Every structure is written in structure tokens, then in C-alpha cells.
Amino acid sequence: MKLFKYRKLYDRNSLSIDEIGNKPMKFFIKWFKEADEFDKIIEANAMTVSTVDKNDFPSSRVVLLKEIKDRSLIFFTNYKSKKGEAIKDNPNICASFYWPPLERQVIFKGIAKKCSSNYSDAYFRSRPFNSQVAAIISNQSQIISSYNELLNRYNEFLKENKNSDLKRPMHWGGVEILIDEIPIKNINIKSLRSQVGYVPQDTFLFSDTIMNNIKFGLKNATDNDVVAACKTAKIHKEIVSFEKGYK
């Protein structure tokens, strides 16, 4: 099945670096709120999380974002699931949001770590009772004999613990993505894209030139690669206007 002729005209406004400023998370929250208020977007907090397992195989799945912090994102999962095991073996992680009606995409890269027990407990208590039960009885990513087996286990637990104050199972809790870089994309007119990448400045010392600073975030980049990236990010004109330009 060929999809060569699938085309869509992307005609919303392009993204300017001036809109983002020096606080990309604040800008992300602005975009998130706009997506959340948009009628055609069902779950603005749905994000695709990608991990790599111990055999170096990548996998992706959609989870729900539950908190946005200054430099991190939080979601909840079964630590014994495939993504939980992958994070344990390799904490490098990528999370992306795609809001087609707004022609916007945001990608986060970072390191994943478990949230504190107190934090996970607090969120678990906020969940509806049936959702608490599901977290307790579900062996996510594990093989079961049939759906009826899982359903019977669920109903039995409900019957036995109907009026109980349930405790969070230790295999279930929060995962915090500590953000390393934030590429923010806005699909531009006629299939063009504007992209701005942010790397936290406290992760490295500044080099002696703008060229070397930018190369820090680009693997094996040439001078031409850097210039091309800056043109894409629409900051090339500003750089060449400096007395020493890239040098």
C-alpha cells in the first residue's frame, strides 16, 4: 500500500525564536494549554514515550502526562512493564507530543528516574478506586491465559476489598523525565518546518566562539552544518550581525 500521494497543506503560522524567549518550558505550557482548549484534541496530555531495552531495541507507546515541572515531566506506570524494565536498564528516554489540528510537535529528550514513594503514594490516593484496583492486579506486559482470567481477578479483588483503603503496590509509581534538550517544532507553510533546539546551559562551560558552542550539541558537525542549523532556527542573521559572527 503506497502512500506517495498523501499530502496536506500546512498553512498555520511558523515558529519564531522570539516567541520562545529563554524559558522554553513556559512556552511549552502555553502551547499545552492551547492544545487542551482546542475542541478537536481529545487528550492534549497524551505523549509518546520511547525507550531502548537492554538489547538496544527501541520501542514507543502512548502514556498520559501527569505533571509539568520547571525541568521535568512526570507520568505513571508499572515498573515491571516493558517500558519500566527498559528504563531500569537504560534511563535515556524521549517523549513527544503531536497535536495535528494545531500543526505542532514538541519533543523532549532526557533521563528517566523513579519518583519518590511519597509522591507516587499521593498520586495513587488521588486515583478513582477502580483505577487503583487495576494498578494492583494488572501484571502489565505479562502473558495471561485469557482476558476472562484478568477480568475475574479484577472482580474478585473488587469484591474482597470494596470498602478498603488500598495501598499503592511497590511495582507501580511515577517516572520523572529530567529534560536534557527540548526541540520545539511548528509545522510551517508548504511542508516547511521551523525548529529551535534548547540545551540547558548549566550542563557545560561555554566555548570561546558561537560556532563551537553550537557544535557542542551537534555530533560530528561541520561549520556548514552549524550554519544550516542556525538558518533553520532563524538565528543566522542575528549571529552574522555580531562583530565576530560565528568566530
Side-chain angles (χ1 to χ4, degrees):
M1 176 177 160
K2 286 187 173 63
L3 306 176
F4 293 175
K5 294 184 179 180
Y6 272 48
R7 292 287 185 274
K8 182 185 183 305
L9 177 63
Y10 298 106
D11 54 4
R12 286 183 173 270
N13 293 333
S14 61
L15 176 65
S16 166
I17 192 170
D18 295 330
E19 295 179 65
I20 301 174
N22 59 0
K23 294 183 179 180
M25 286 303 286
K26 184 177 179 180
F27 185 80
F28 168 70
I29 291 173
K30 173 181 176 292
W31 265 15
F32 180 85
K33 289 179 178 178
E34 291 173 358
D36 193 41
E37 294 168 359
F38 202 83
D39 291 341
K40 294 182 179 180
I41 297 176
I42 299 173
E43 288 182 309
N45 64 326
M47 64 179 182
T48 300
V49 168
S50 300
T51 55
V52 179
D53 65 19
K54 61 183 178 182
N55 296 314
D56 294 329
F57 281 101
S59 59
S60 300
R61 77 289 291 164
V62 176
V63 302
L64 296 179
L65 174 68
K66 289 300 179 180
E67 185 172 355
I68 305 170
K69 293 188 173 183
D70 289 341
R71 291 283 291 277
S72 65
L73 305 174
I74 293 177
F75 68 94
F76 290 82
T77 189
N78 186 317
Y79 294 141
K80 293 183 179 180
S81 65
K82 287 184 179 179
K83 63 179 169 294
E85 292 294 332
I87 289 171
K88 182 175 68 174
D89 294 323
N90 183 349
N92 292 310
I93 194 168
C94 180
S96 64
F97 296 82
Y98 179 45
W99 301 304
L102 295 176
E103 299 176 4
R104 291 173 177 175
Q105 178 179 218
V106 182
I107 303 171
F108 295 90
K109 296 178 183 179
I111 303 295
K113 73 177 186 69
K114 287 183 180 180
C115 294
S116 69
S117 295
N118 289 339
Y119 184 93
S120 293
D121 289 342
Y123 175 72
F124 185 80
R125 288 192 296 269
S126 76
R127 286 164 63 89
F129 185 79
N130 286 10
S131 297
Q132 292 179 346
V133 173
I136 292 172
I137 64 99
S138 174
N139 296 321
Q140 193 175 342
S141 301
Q142 303 301 312
I143 297 175
I144 59 174
S145 59
S146 68
Y147 174 71
N148 284 337
E149 175 205 337
L150 182 62
L151 192 60
N152 289 336
R153 192 191 314 163
Y154 177 82
N155 290 330
E156 281 295 318
F157 191 95
L158 275 179
K159 189 185 301 182
E160 295 172 3
N161 299 274
K162 189 174 181 179
N163 299 313
S164 301
D165 184 14
L166 301 181
K167 292 186 177 181
R168 176 183 64 90
M170 296 304 293
H171 64 263
W172 188 95
V175 173
E176 184 171 14
I177 302 174
L178 305 175
I179 298 166
D180 181 50
E181 59 176 298
I182 312 172
I184 299 178
K185 292 185 177 180
N186 189 56
I187 299 174
N188 196 356
I189 189 168
K190 296 180 181 179
S191 301
L192 297 177
R193 288 182 175 87
S194 296
Q195 175 174 314
V196 180
Y198 275 81
V199 178
Q201 295 179 358
D202 55 2
T203 61
F204 63 96
L205 295 175
F206 280 103
S207 303
D208 54 345
T209 66
I210 292 176
M211 179 69 73
N212 288 336
N213 273 321
I214 298 173
K215 280 184 178 180
F216 181 89
L218 299 172
K219 187 175 181 181
N220 300 322
T222 65
D223 289 0
N224 288 337
D225 292 332
V226 170
V227 172
C230 290
K231 286 181 178 178
T232 300
K234 297 185 178 180
I235 58 174
H236 173 71
K237 290 182 179 179
E238 286 81 358
I239 293 175
V240 296
S241 69
F242 297 149
E243 183 179 351
K244 295 184 178 180
Y246 286 92
K247 302 300 181 180

